[in-house]
Amino acid sequence: MGRRIPRRRLGAALAAALVAGLGLAGWAGLEREVAARAAALRAPDTGFLVEARDGALLRAFAARDGRWRMAAQVADVDPRFLRMLQGWEDKRFGEHGGIDALALLRSALESARRGRIVSGGSTLTMQVARLNDRLPTGSVRAKASQFLGALALERALTKDEILSLYLQLAPYGGNIEGVRAASLTWFGHEPKRLTAGEAALLVALPQSPERLRPDLHPERARKARDRVLDRMAEIGLLPAEEATRAKREPVPTTRRAMPMLAAHAAEAARLAEARSGRRSARLTVDAALQARLETYARDKVATLPKPQSLAIVVADHETGEILASVGSPDLFDTARQGYVDLTKAQRSPGSTLKPLIYGLAFERGVAHPESLMDDRPTSFAGYSPGNFDGRFEGMLTARRALQLSRNLPAVELLAAVGPSRLVDRIRRTGASLELGNRSLPGLAIGLGGLGISLEDLVRLYAGLANGGVAKPLRIDASPASALAAGPGRRILSPQAAWYVASILAGAPATAKGSPGTIAFKTGTSFGYRDAWTLAYDGRHVVGVWLGRPDGAPVPGLVGQDAAVPVMRDVFARIGAPQKLPGPPPGILVSAARLPPAMRRLSPKGAVARADAPEIVFPPKGARIELGLSDGAGMDLSLKVRNGRPPFTWYVDGKAALHGLFDRQASWHPREPGFVDISVVDAAGGAATTRVFLE
């Protein structure tokens, strides 16, 4: 028989096997728990942030739990703060796996030597685990959970990602969490650049955020900051001289308000992103310009009696990007209904639509800036508009009539081009119009008889400024928004847009070079309810509105007196205005070269000549088949009787056939649809017809 194994050795072997088995089982359980925690990690709930075009913070919204907690990355914070944080909290942060055994051993020995807990040996990763899981301190179970959480964080994230979580979750007193919210609250600026004193205070506060709150206990906060500075000098992270200077920095004693620029636009962006799950939005707004204009608006409105208010929009007419939007001077001014975004409120535009009316007349060959017009009492099928000042100028050029904003010439031209065409061109910009219960627009819309917002008027004037092409106005800076915006739509020909710019810039006559620096038009709605100025230079378009948010009259409120000074102040805050561009090809300078019918526009109701030309074919309202849908199509016959040759035929306002002595002619259309055909004889007599070609 072999030698028997001693009973003691057998018992020891069995015990060792049992311990090993339990150890393996425990290790497997630990692995499962850490893996489960790593898989369950979620980003903290941060508030919604709205940023400017350059990334500057415009407005911050608190997280759902009411805490100011903002997304932050390592790159968002001053590197000196990060070095000081690790030097104070966790010198071996880059080396350990979440739990620093050396720090724990040192803490245990130090606590045993002193008879009390001196430090917990907690790493930054362990602190993040505690903060992320909202664990209490001083509990054995919570400490165990903290260990497991730290292991899970190290398994799932990089060191920079763990540090970024600390930057978002560290407590700084009250409802302030994270270094970005703390820096904005206590210093009024982002943590990208911090002084040594500021960085030290941000390192110290999370140790005991309520006991060290600067607004409640500034002396305690100062002493805690200074201890950090001394330690940084001791370990060589900060020169002693700099630490001494940093101690002389004042400790903030009040909480600063969070940024709230472009408040209305930021709120709209937050609501637009509510379903997307994104926690930030970027706008096209220029933060510096927005801040200057909001400060100006608050100062300006303080000089106006309540509840008068104002709104401002600035856009880049080449790109359609909104650079500044002041919906009201103060969001919290209830007396002026500051919560209402007055850039989007529909109001009567007064005379601000007149430039487009004139532009349409220029485009369609109805008039030219040097055409003579009558400003005298006239009735249009029962509609008898008057001028704002109750006076009449008599004979004057179209240029002068628009510069003086005379009503009768504008209505005369609108009757010629058609109110429906005016509405169509405005809607091409993307504007939304309120026409009331009218099924078809009437002539009154030319003098403000509709509803339109300041933002939509800026769309219109951006089109005038951009050579007649209205780019979609947008404030969303996302690439998807830029892609969806498209190239824009033409609302006027380049020549007509140029004529309008030269008039609004105050040029005495059409010139070869730039007509000036700023083109602008004022408007005053019926009953002195709204005062407007719309203006543009070579790059920017500015819209200004003044009035009462409730739409009540303000006696004496006139666009020229109230809104023009604001417009000029806005341009002064934008910078040096850029000159308007020179004329496009096809500009007609000399009034002597105008067709006779355009030199002097016959007033409404003038007696027609007995031998005035009359279009025999095509008859008005006819539908004529020319095979245009199937290919090249046939020519359209043109016939005129009476009148004095030679004749000039116009199609949609453009000369198509010149100097014809024959009373019959033909013209080749390029596409189907409605066309306006006119004929002018040698004496200036004219006739028109409108037909549909197919």
Side-chain angles (χ1 to χ4, degrees), residues 624-677:
I624 303 173
E625 290 191 21
L626 297 176
L628 298 176
S629 300
D630 301 328
M634 299 181 293
D635 288 349
L636 175 66
S637 295
L638 306 173
K639 297 182 181 179
V640 60
R641 67 184 173 199
N642 299 329
R644 305 169 192 173
F647 300 100
T648 301
W649 291 87
Y650 293 84
V651 177
D652 286 337
K654 297 180 180 179
L657 303 169
H658 303 268
L660 301 183
F661 285 85
D662 197 336
R663 296 181 181 276
Q664 297 188 31
S666 62
W667 168 74
H668 186 75
R670 296 183 178 180
E671 58 186 0
F674 284 103
V675 293
D676 292 304
I677 301 172

Side-chain angles (χ1 to χ4, degrees), residues 210-293:
E210 293 306 319
R211 193 178 69 85
L212 301 177
R213 274 184 60 169
D215 58 332
L216 301 180
H217 310 290
E219 185 59 24
R220 292 179 189 171
R222 184 189 64 77
K223 290 180 179 179
R225 178 201 66 183
D226 291 352
R227 284 194 296 271
V228 173
L229 290 169
D230 289 339
R231 179 61 177 161
M232 294 303 105
E234 181 183 331
I235 63 177
L237 283 180
L238 203 64
E241 299 81 4
E242 188 173 1
T244 301
R245 287 196 302 270
K247 289 181 181 181
R248 292 196 289 267
E249 293 181 23
V251 170
T253 57
T254 58
R255 286 182 57 159
R256 298 171 184 261
M258 285 292 176
M260 192 174 285
L261 292 173
H264 298 91
E267 173 68 12
R270 185 183 71 87
L271 294 176
E273 296 288 355
R275 296 182 180 178
S276 69
R278 289 189 288 269
R279 304 307 300 159
S280 66
R282 181 162 292 194
L283 306 184
T284 59
V285 168
D286 181 322
L289 176 61
Q290 181 75 30
R292 291 196 296 271
L293 293 184

Side-chain angles (χ1 to χ4, degrees), residues 21-46:
L22 290 173
L24 289 173
W27 180 260
L30 178 66
E31 277 290 299
R32 286 195 298 271
E33 178 64 21
V34 170
R37 286 174 176 256
L41 284 175
R42 295 289 183 271
D45 176 26
T46 55

Side-chain angles (χ1 to χ4, degrees), residues 21 34 56 126 219 225 230 300 304 319 342 431 442 517 539 608 649:
V34 170
M126 291 170 62
E219 185 59 24
R225 178 201 66 183
D230 289 339
K300 179 66 179 180
L304 304 176
T319 64
L342 295 168
T517 303
R539 180 187 173 190
W649 291 87

Side-chain angles (χ1 to χ4, degrees), residues 2-57:
R3 190 171 54 182
R4 292 186 177 182
I5 300 174
R7 187 173 294 178
R8 281 184 188 174
R9 291 184 180 180
L10 180 60
L14 290 173
L18 178 61
V19 170
L22 290 173
L24 289 173
W27 180 260
L30 178 66
E31 277 290 299
R32 286 195 298 271
E33 178 64 21
V34 170
R37 286 174 176 256
L41 284 175
R42 295 289 183 271
D45 176 26
T46 55
F48 193 87
L49 303 181
V50 182
E51 299 173 335
R53 61 192 302 117
D54 62 352
L57 185 62

Side-chain angles (χ1 to χ4, degrees), residues 302-374:
T303 66
L304 304 176
K306 296 180 179 180
Q308 289 185 47
S309 189
L310 66 85
I312 302 168
V313 175
V314 180
D316 184 326
H317 56 70
E318 292 184 359
T319 64
E321 295 177 341
I322 293 178
L323 303 178
S325 179
V326 182
S328 70
D330 186 349
L331 183 69
F332 302 109
D333 187 347
T334 56
R336 302 183 197 271
Q337 298 183 33
Y339 47 85
V340 177
D341 186 352
L342 295 168
T343 69
K344 298 183 182 300
Q346 290 195 325
R347 313 296 289 252
S348 167
S351 296
T352 58
L353 300 183
K354 287 178 181 176
L356 184 57
I357 296 173
Y358 279 77
L360 287 171
F362 300 154
E363 177 185 275
R364 301 185 64 77
V366 174
H368 180 273
E370 308 312 320
S371 296
L372 292 173
M373 302 187 69
D374 264 337

Side-chain angles (χ1 to χ4, degrees), residues 53-65:
R53 61 192 302 117
D54 62 352
L57 185 62
L58 290 174
R59 185 177 181 184
F61 294 86
R64 283 183 282 268
D65 59 4

